[in-house]
Amino acid sequence: MDDIAGRILLIVDASVPAAARAACDEAAATLARRAGMPVTLAAVPIGTLDAVQPVIRRGSGQIRELDPPGSDAMASAPFVRRRDGRPDWGAMWTTFCELALHGGPPQRGAPQALRGPSGGDRAAASSPEILAELERGIQETTGLATEPAEPGWIAITCTSTRMAAWLCAAIILENVDARVEGARLLVPAGPGFTLEDQVKSVITVVAKTHHYWREHLESDRERGS
């Protein structure tokens, strides 16, 4: 690249974790689409970043530091829709950040935690359309079967009670309620849920914890057997 005029340049410390680099890739792609112009993503050593700051500050440019939204919540992946306008749940994530169980940012900040109802109140249930999207999203991202449970909950059939218990514990640390009934994992499906907020959060935590279970815990057990 000989000339960066007319481009947006994003610079990231080359030593940041792989999950952060992947998030930067997604952010650059989203910015290019929205801005309608090329975006260059440069991963450089921290020494280079330290050296370039005085040069930028001497001119009319500015360096702005932005903290993650919600203080302790993970950044949200872009919401992707199919041509028919329905959410494309299977295409929304190309990678997953570290689980909160292992020190990563939770899916939702504590003030925005998703809580499931404690009673059997029918008013606690989601609309049929929201329930259908929750079922479709979980099936598309995990391949697991789902069904409506008591009002305010949706049940996911896991392959074992151990899997259900582990997913439940990992999801709770993402600030999304969960509980188990044998090999069934129950997650919230409450009233007022919207596709781009609560529904997306539930599908995300199920998808990311299931991904970790399948790629790490389950495969490790198979190799050890």
Side-chain angles (χ1 to χ4, degrees):
M1 183 180 65
D2 298 325
D3 187 0
I4 62 172
R7 292 176 178 266
I8 298 173
L9 176 62
L10 301 181
I11 303 175
V12 60
D13 177 6
S15 66
V16 300
R21 289 278 297 277
C24 290
D25 289 342
E26 294 174 3
T30 300
L31 184 56
R33 288 195 300 270
R34 293 188 178 181
M37 59 190 298
V39 174
T40 299
L41 178 62
V44 301
I46 188 63
T48 303
L49 291 176
D50 291 339
V52 78
Q53 285 199 49
V55 177
I56 296 175
R57 295 182 191 279
R58 279 205 303 267
S60 57
Q62 296 181 357
I63 297 179
R64 296 179 60 201
E65 296 183 359
L66 304 177
D67 293 325
S71 69
D72 64 341
M74 67 175 284
S76 180
F79 198 88
V80 180
R81 292 184 181 273
R82 306 186 313 192
R83 289 188 176 182
D84 63 5
R86 298 179 71 184
D88 192 348
W89 301 113
M92 271 186 227
W93 304 278
T94 57
T95 185
F96 293 98
C97 71
E98 190 67 90
L99 298 178
L101 177 66
H102 298 296
Q107 167 62 24
R108 299 179 72 90
Q112 294 80 38
L114 285 185
R115 304 302 182 200
S118 56
D121 183 5
R122 291 189 176 276
S126 284
S127 68
E129 294 77 16
I130 290 297
L131 281 172
E133 282 301 326
L134 280 165
E135 291 186 34
R136 187 171 71 86
I138 292 169
Q139 198 282 326
E140 283 187 7
T141 55
T142 68
L144 298 175
T146 63
E147 61 182 351
E150 63 191 71
W153 296 89
I154 189 169
I156 305 165
T157 302
C158 298
T159 58
S160 66
T161 56
R162 182 175 182 269
M163 175 185 176
W166 189 90
L167 293 181
C168 178
I171 288 172
I172 288 172
L173 293 178
E174 301 286 341
N175 286 326
V176 175
D177 262 1
R179 56 191 180 86
V180 292
E181 293 178 351
R184 296 204 317 166
L185 168 69
L186 279 74
V187 290
F193 274 25
T194 62
L195 293 178
E196 298 191 17
D197 188 356
Q198 296 91 347
V199 172
K200 185 182 177 187
S201 286
V202 170
I203 294 172
T204 299
V205 296
V206 173
K208 70 187 284 192
T209 54
H210 176 263
H211 172 82
Y212 193 95
W213 169 269
R214 187 190 65 223
E215 298 297 327
H216 298 278
L217 300 183
E218 192 173 49
S219 59
D220 287 348
R221 285 208 313 160
E222 290 174 353
R223 284 194 295 269
S225 60

